Amino acid sequence: MAAASKMMSMASLTHFRPLSCAAAALTPPSRLVQHPPDLIKWVRREGGFVHQAVKIAQLDPYGLGLVVSDDIPSGSDLIALPHHVPLRFSSNDSGGGDGYESVLAELARPIPEELWAMKLGLKLLRERAIVGSFWWPYISNLPETYNVPIFFPGEDIKNLQYAPLLYQVNKRCRFLLEFEREVKGALANLVEDKHPFGGQDVDASSLGWAMSAVSSRAFRLHRKKLPDGTPGDIPMMLPLIDMCNHSFSPNAQIVQGQDSENSNILVKVVAERAINRDDSLSLNYGCLNNDLFLLDYGFVVPANPYDCIELRYDGALLDAASMASGVSSPNFSSPSPWQLQILEALGFVGENPDLKVRLGGADLIEGRLLAALRVLLAADRETVDQHDLNTLKSLSVEAPLGIPTELAALRTVVALCVIALEHFPTKLMDDESILRKGASPSAELAVQFRIQKKSVIIDTMRDLARRVKVLAAKEKDGS
């Protein structure tokens, strides 16, 4: 949290004027320049295609987006970009000759894969810093600020109230502050013609802007692996295309082709269904949970079917949950040798155990957790040995080890949900009251996020309670 506050106070890399990250609370954010070039005209001038009905418009509260001014039939081409228009991190696309490519490559080398957006962010900063960049018409249309958690005030980071996300936010802030030192050290004694950023200073705030711009707008497209071993998955910023909003039921999709002779990627957007006049264009950014939507895109999806909560597999916690739910003699913290073998197969014990488990989402209970609960609550080994792990992981397989075991497992999960809900300092009604009264955009996002997490827990509890009621009735009837 302190890292984020420090980043907020820093000066930023500039093209024409300083970037103020403190303005991240503005809704919608302004562009880098007050009157940027017409992006549609630029794409067409560079040989791209934009359907005559596609327009750029203000879509409150989301900022600029794409809308259509007339009905468009399904299957119509909406946007097509020639191969030289997307912005990618590759020395082959840089034009060469100015001596900065090796410096960028060295800076990018230690960046972990999970923060891939920073690698392309370095190229974005390069093109933003130099005067006369080919991509300036595109870059000048980018938001001046990004309302993602790394730029939240410290209090609003704390208001997220969800440990897994707090960990990720602080991890990114620490990375940016450490990377700032590495970048400054690498650039300290460079001659001007080898300085990637035209001699301008680069700090954690400008790096955070670049990483946020890429994570919220770039697409990872596929291509054939090149002879030098370059992988087939390459991040690209797609001008104009990246102004499409997100939807799990999008009206458009990205289609890519590839020139077999030179591996050029050709990208276009096609209407997936008929689009009505005044509709905004939407793409599916991915089946992601709200942690990733907030971290990378700066928004939260209400009633997200892919949202979930993350817990840590802990025998003592499971013992407490089982006892709280009325399960007699739980032995989660002291499994027998044969149960340990199964837990090892599930990845909960042994070398490098994976103790993260999820509740909610499409699966409701992560299969590994469900299998562990069923096995550790089973009456005997013989019953367990009649089923494979895939069966034990499946919630759709009703009571494979018997109704009493299944009831104990589900009631334990319900108790886990109660414990998880109690870890939030505020109640759901408190959060809703805050939203009604009004709050800053970052505070509102934090409250919306934790409301959705609590809703996942509550919905999971309700679903499991229904299952428990049905099973209890079957047990009572002796069926």
Side-chain angles (χ1 to χ4, degrees):
M1 298 173 197
S5 297
K6 181 178 178 182
M7 287 174 57
M8 292 277 294
S9 65
M10 293 176 175
S12 301
L13 185 68
T14 177
H15 194 92
F16 293 128
R17 63 181 184 178
L19 170 69
S20 174
C21 292
L26 294 177
T27 302
S30 58
R31 306 290 107 180
L32 278 181
V33 298
Q34 189 172 2
H35 300 291
D38 188 310
L39 197 54
I40 291 178
K41 288 182 179 179
W42 178 71
V43 169
R44 286 173 175 160
R45 189 168 61 245
E46 289 302 321
F49 167 79
V50 183
H51 192 287
Q52 61 181 5
V54 172
K55 309 295 180 185
I56 297 175
Q58 185 71 39
L59 302 176
D60 293 331
Y62 308 108
L64 295 180
L66 300 180
V67 298
V68 298
S69 59
D70 203 353
D71 295 346
I72 297 180
S74 176
S76 301
D77 287 350
L78 302 173
I79 305 170
L81 300 181
H83 73 274
H84 67 283
V85 168
L87 177 64
R88 55 175 74 81
F89 185 89
S90 170
S91 59
N92 294 329
D93 299 315
S94 65
D98 62 4
Y100 74 85
E101 299 97 329
S102 62
V103 178
L104 284 185
E106 284 299 314
L107 290 174
R109 187 167 289 115
I111 297 174
E113 176 56 29
E114 66 180 294
L115 297 176
W116 59 269
M118 190 70 263
K119 293 185 179 183
L120 181 52
L122 290 172
K123 178 64 180 291
L124 177 63
L125 278 183
R126 154 71 187 178
E127 298 302 328
R128 180 182 169 183
I130 61 173
V131 176
S133 166
F134 167 77
W135 284 282
W136 180 243
Y138 165 62
I139 294 172
S140 64
N141 276 276
L142 293 177
E144 189 177 17
T145 60
Y146 288 93
N147 204 14
V148 291
I150 61 169
F151 289 122
F152 281 12
E155 188 63 26
D156 288 337
I157 293 179
K158 187 165 62 176
N159 282 337
L160 293 167
Q161 298 183 356
Y162 182 63
L165 184 61
L166 291 172
Y167 171 80
Q168 290 298 328
V169 174
N170 285 310
K171 182 179 179 180
R172 292 189 180 195
C173 290
R174 286 193 301 271
F175 163 77
L176 288 168
L177 291 170
E178 292 167 3
F179 194 47
E180 174 193 32
R181 289 193 288 270
E182 294 178 19
V183 172
K184 286 182 179 294
L187 302 181
N189 300 311
L190 286 181
V191 295
E192 186 175 345
D193 65 346
K194 289 189 177 181
H195 196 294
F197 311 109
Q200 296 190 61
D201 187 38
V202 177
D203 57 29
S205 185
S206 56
L207 292 168
W209 175 88
M211 186 170 72
S212 300
V214 173
S215 69
S216 64
R217 305 180 80 90
F219 297 83
R220 300 193 67 143
L221 302 182
H222 302 288
R223 67 176 180 184
K224 294 179 182 177
K225 184 173 287 189
L226 300 181
D228 65 357
T230 302
D233 185 280
I234 181 169
M236 295 183 181
M237 299 190 78
L238 304 179
L240 198 63
I241 291 176
D242 61 12
M243 297 182 76
C244 294
N245 285 327
H246 164 76
S247 173
F248 289 129
S249 301
N251 55 23
Q253 63 176 327
I254 291 181
V255 177
Q256 63 180 98
Q258 186 164 295
D259 188 323
S260 60
E261 293 184 3
N262 58 19
S263 298
N264 286 331
I265 296 178
L266 313 173
V267 185
K268 63 180 180 179
V269 175
V270 177
E272 193 165 15
R273 61 173 187 265
I275 304 175
N276 298 323
R277 179 179 179 178
D278 296 330
D279 283 354
S280 61
L281 295 186
S282 59
L283 299 168
N284 188 344
Y285 294 179
C287 299
L288 309 174
N289 62 27
N290 277 333
D291 302 51
L292 293 176
F293 277 127
L294 185 55
L295 271 173
D296 289 339
Y297 297 97
F299 62 79
V300 173
V301 178
N304 181 350
Y306 305 100
D307 203 12
C308 58
I309 63 162
E310 185 180 290
L311 302 173
R312 181 179 175 84
Y313 182 91
D314 181 273
L317 176 63
L318 291 172
D319 278 343
S322 290
M323 288 187 285
S325 63
V327 177
S328 60
S329 304
N331 61 337
F332 293 109
S333 54
S334 56
S336 62
W338 69 268
Q339 290 171 325
L340 279 173
Q341 291 178 353
I342 298 177
L343 290 180
E344 185 172 8
L346 293 170
F348 289 125
V349 297
E351 283 191 46
N352 301 316
D354 179 8
L355 301 179
K356 293 180 181 178
V357 292
R358 295 178 300 278
L359 296 177
D363 296 331
L364 200 64
I365 306 173
E366 184 178 326
R368 295 190 311 131
L369 175 61
L370 180 61
L373 292 173
R374 284 169 166 172
V375 168
L376 291 169
L377 291 165
D380 55 76
R381 180 175 184 173
E382 289 70 24
T383 305
V384 173
D385 287 342
Q386 294 174 18
H387 306 280
D388 60 25
L389 277 184
N390 287 333
T391 299
L392 296 176
K393 289 179 180 179
S394 175
L395 188 60
S396 62
V397 179
E398 186 180 275
L401 304 183
I403 290 179
T405 298
E406 193 77 352
L407 285 171
L410 296 184
R411 284 169 175 156
T412 298
V413 177
V414 171
L416 277 178
C417 289
V418 172
I419 293 172
L421 203 56
E422 290 175 346
H423 271 80
F424 288 92
T426 59
K427 304 295 184 183
L428 196 56
M429 63 180 65
D430 299 328
D431 299 336
E432 292 168 344
S433 175
I434 292 172
L435 293 183
R436 285 194 298 270
K437 292 176 181 177
S440 69
S442 57
E444 185 173 323
L445 268 176
V447 175
Q448 288 174 346
F449 174 81
R450 70 194 195 215
I451 283 177
Q452 294 306 314
K453 287 300 175 186
K454 293 171 187 177
S455 296
V456 169
I457 297 172
I458 292 169
D459 290 344
T460 300
M461 292 170 63
R462 287 173 176 165
D463 191 312
L464 294 178
R466 287 194 295 268
R467 293 171 187 265
V468 166
K469 185 176 180 180
V470 171
L471 283 174
K474 288 183 177 180
E475 183 181 43
K476 184 177 180 181
D477 293 341
S479 56

